[in-house]
């Protein structure tokens, strides 16, 4: 390793620091200055030889903290010069530390990111200040700094890979209409053959500000009818099913239009795959709204005989017309407790996702035609393409298809 070339000023300051520090050793001062102990000793001995001072007389341990004034005028001058050199060295040290602290003041907070920022600051200013001094002032370990410096190439490679993945995430996020969070984005990437961890996807989405659409305030649409006969809760908040067509759930939500008007949407979901099997949209909340949705469900599933349908205590679901339709279709009704949204939580969540992803932060849909088109497009895509966490991030249609395939395979295997 090539020897470092020290200036005459640095050597004089080093000697003055050693000579003016009582009880110190070459090792301590050399460690502070980042130089070799033998080098410092050589500088001190040369300076003493030049001044004609013996080692015993000049030893910091042998002399008091404040040297006794000498009667020799020349010696007094030498003592004053040494003291001035000591003060100048101390002043330069303090000025350097103040300059470093002034530039790096914002880095003196807690957190791993700011520790790495201190390393970067030391790297950026290592041509201006000594690395040892920088690490001391910034309160970081010098060996940790060099370890961080050695990993610069690997960090650059990771940043590049993160940028590439961020572009893939943006593409998937855009295809979802800005609705997907990290779990669904991860599932979509894996479907495309990309091996990626969900935590990494979430980190990159935070870093590159790729976010979904936040929920808006909900509007209450449940108005119970006190005249209706009681209907038991057959679900008990269990919104799952082992087979398609066994358990259904439904609810009504309001879709805001410009000018304070609303359209109303009634839906019927299959608890097995969360597929929308029936829906109806109108500018009213009469019983026809929910009966039309249930009739569509019966048409989609080619009958609902033997199924259970769960809803809240809205007047539409408690009406005689709806009860009569359920009897006609062979459907058993189920209702949650009055005023408890958790008893129909799956439908509440479904409608919240619909409005979040179709409104995308807007206050309303505009006119009725625009609203109907947006809801129709979303419901269609929901069944065919949108990944659902309850289905292992498969779309409802794909989830049911795989279930039927597995069931057929199992049946054929049992016949062999």
């Amino acid at each position: 390793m090539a020897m470092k070339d020290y200036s005459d000023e640095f050597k004089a300051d080093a000697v003055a620091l050693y000579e003016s520090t009582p009880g110190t050793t070459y090792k301590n001062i050399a460690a502070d200055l980042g130089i070799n102990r033998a080098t410092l000793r050589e500088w001190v001995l040369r300076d003493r030889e030049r001044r004609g001072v013996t080692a015993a007389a000049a030893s910091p341990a042998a002399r008091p903290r404040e040297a006794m004034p000498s009667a020799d005028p020349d010696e007094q001058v030498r003592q004053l010069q040494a003291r001035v050199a000591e003060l100048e060295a101390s002043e330069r040290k303090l000025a350097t530390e103040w300059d470093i602290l002034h530039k790096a003041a914002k880095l003196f907070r807690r957190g791993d990111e700011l520790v790495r920022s201190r390393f970067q600051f030391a790297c950026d200013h290592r041509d201006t200040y000594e690395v040892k001094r920088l690490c001391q002032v910034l309160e970081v370990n010098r060996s940790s700094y060099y370890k961080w410096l050695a990993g610069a190439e690997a960090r650059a490679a990771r940043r590049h890979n993160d940028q590439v993945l961020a572009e893939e995430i943006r593409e998937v996020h855009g295809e979802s209409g800005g609705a997907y969070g990290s779990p669904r984005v991860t599932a979509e990437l894996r479907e495309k053959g990309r091996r990626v961890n969900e935590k990494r996807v979430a980190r990159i989405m935070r870093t590159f500000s790729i976010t979904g659409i936040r929920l808006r305030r909900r509007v209450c649409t449940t108005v119970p009818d006190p005249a209706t006969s009681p209907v038991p809760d057959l679900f008990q908040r269990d919104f799952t099913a082992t087979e398609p067509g066994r358990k259904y759930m439904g609810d009504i939500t309001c879709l805001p239009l410009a000018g304070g008007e609303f359209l109303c949407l009634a839906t019927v979901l299959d608890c097995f795959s969360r597929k929308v099997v029936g829906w109806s949209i109108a500018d009213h909340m009469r019983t026809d709204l929910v009966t039309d949705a249930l009739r569509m469900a019966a048409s989609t599933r080619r009958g609902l005989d033997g199924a259970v349908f769960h809803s809240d205590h809205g007047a539409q679901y408690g009406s005689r017309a709806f009860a009569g339709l359920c009897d006609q279709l062979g459907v058993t009704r189920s209702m949650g407790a009055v005023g408890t949204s958790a008893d129909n939580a799956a439908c509440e969540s479904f409608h919240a996702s619909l409005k979040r992803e179709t409104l995308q932060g807007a206050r309303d849909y505009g006119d009725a035609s625009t609203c109907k088109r947006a809801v129709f497009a979303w419901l269609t895509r929901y069944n065919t393409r949108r990944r659902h966490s309850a289905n292992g991030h498969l779309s409802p249609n794909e989830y049911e298809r795989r279930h039927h395939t597995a069931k057929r395979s199992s049946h054929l295997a049992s016949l062999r």
Side-chain angles (χ1 to χ4, degrees):
M1 181 183 294
M3 295 185 64
K4 193 170 182 179
D5 186 18
Y6 297 96
S7 65
D8 293 337
E9 183 181 16
F10 180 85
K11 295 177 181 179
D13 291 342
V15 171
L17 180 60
Y18 173 80
E19 295 284 19
S20 61
T21 306
T24 192
T25 62
Y26 289 119
K27 181 179 180 180
N28 291 339
I29 298 298
D32 288 342
L33 297 176
I35 61 178
N36 186 274
R37 172 185 174 279
T39 301
L40 176 62
R41 181 175 182 276
E42 181 182 359
W43 292 348
V44 172
L45 293 179
R46 286 182 181 178
D47 181 78
R48 289 176 181 173
E49 182 179 359
R50 179 184 61 80
R51 293 187 289 116
V53 179
T54 63
S59 173
R63 64 176 186 268
R65 183 170 294 272
E66 294 187 9
M68 295 295 293
S70 173
D72 183 3
D74 292 337
E75 182 59 27
Q76 289 180 0
V77 170
R78 281 194 293 271
Q79 290 178 354
L80 290 174
Q81 288 176 337
R83 182 58 178 165
V84 168
E86 174 191 347
L87 293 175
E88 288 177 345
S90 178
E91 182 182 5
R92 282 192 296 273
K93 178 183 176 183
L94 291 174
T96 299
E97 291 181 354
W98 183 91
D99 193 32
I100 294 172
L101 288 170
H102 178 71
K103 293 178 179 178
K106 64 182 180 180
L107 303 179
F108 281 85
R109 303 169 189 163
R110 293 182 180 179
D112 292 340
E113 289 296 331
L114 286 169
V115 170
R116 287 192 287 270
S117 296
R118 294 185 196 182
F119 288 155
Q120 187 62 55
F121 181 89
C123 180
D124 294 341
H125 294 81
R126 58 183 174 178
D127 293 335
T128 306
Y129 311 104
E130 286 186 331
V131 170
K132 178 180 174 63
R133 181 63 62 197
L134 282 166
C135 292
Q136 287 177 339
V137 174
L138 295 174
E139 298 178 352
V140 294
N141 189 286
R142 190 158 39 137
S143 62
S144 299
Y145 162 74
Y146 283 119
K147 183 177 180 180
W148 173 87
L149 197 63
E153 186 175 343
R155 287 195 304 276
R158 283 196 298 271
R159 283 195 298 270
H160 174 72
N161 292 336
D162 285 353
Q163 290 173 352
V164 171
L165 182 56
E167 291 304 314
E168 297 178 27
I169 291 173
R170 283 196 181 97
E171 182 179 351
V172 171
H173 190 254
E175 290 175 354
S176 73
Y180 279 4
S182 59
R184 290 189 175 92
V185 169
T186 304
E188 190 73 28
L189 290 172
R190 288 174 179 171
E191 186 76 16
K192 295 181 177 181
R194 187 72 146 88
R195 297 182 61 184
V196 66
N197 184 279
E198 183 185 332
K199 290 183 179 180
R200 185 184 177 201
V201 172
R203 173 179 61 81
I204 292 176
M205 290 182 72
R206 285 194 303 270
T207 302
F208 291 86
S209 301
I210 305 173
T211 59
I213 308 159
R214 297 186 180 277
L215 288 169
R216 295 181 58 81
R217 181 176 57 88
R218 296 187 303 179
V219 178
C220 179
T221 59
T222 304
V223 181
D225 185 351
T228 58
S229 57
V231 177
D233 183 357
L234 303 178
F235 271 35
Q236 296 295 320
R237 301 186 183 181
D238 179 10
F239 304 107
T240 62
T242 57
E243 292 285 338
R246 299 280 181 85
K247 296 169 64 176
Y248 296 96
M249 51 189 170
D251 197 8
I252 301 173
T253 191
C254 288
L255 308 172
L257 304 178
E261 297 182 347
F262 288 88
L263 288 181
C264 298
L265 173 70
T267 53
V268 179
L269 279 69
D270 192 310
C271 291
F272 175 75
S273 62
R274 305 298 170 89
K275 179 176 181 176
V276 185
V277 294
W279 60 277
S280 176
I281 188 169
D283 58 359
H284 61 79
M285 290 184 65
R286 295 190 294 270
T287 303
D288 291 348
L289 183 70
V290 295
T291 56
D292 287 347
L294 191 63
R295 286 192 179 95
M296 181 179 176
S299 176
T300 301
R301 288 303 198 195
R302 298 180 181 179
L304 300 177
D305 189 37
V308 177
F309 177 82
H310 183 82
S311 68
D312 58 24
H313 276 265
Q316 300 83 357
Y317 294 111
S319 66
R320 291 182 180 178
F322 186 77
L325 179 61
C326 287
D327 291 340
Q328 179 185 337
L329 296 174
V331 174
T332 302
R333 290 190 298 158
S334 169
M335 286 187 177
V338 177
T340 305
S341 61
D343 285 351
N344 205 21
C347 275
E348 298 272 356
S349 176
F350 170 80
H351 286 153
S353 297
L354 183 151
K355 287 190 278 191
R356 180 181 70 242
E357 296 178 16
T358 53
L359 282 170
Q360 298 191 3
R363 290 183 175 275
D364 57 68
Y365 291 93
D367 56 41
S369 298
T370 302
C371 177
K372 290 178 180 179
R373 286 194 302 269
V375 171
F376 172 77
W378 190 89
L379 290 173
T380 304
R381 187 181 186 280
Y382 173 88
N383 282 339
T384 58
R385 292 191 58 192
R386 188 183 183 277
R387 297 179 182 275
H388 202 297
S389 57
N391 298 340
H393 293 296
L394 296 174
S395 68
N397 282 359
E398 178 64 17
Y399 188 67
E400 290 192 3
R401 187 192 67 79
R402 294 191 184 188
H403 170 76
H404 291 311
T405 300
K407 191 174 181 181
R408 283 196 300 269
S409 300
S410 177
H411 178 67
L412 293 173
S414 65
L415 297 176
R416 293 173 183 172

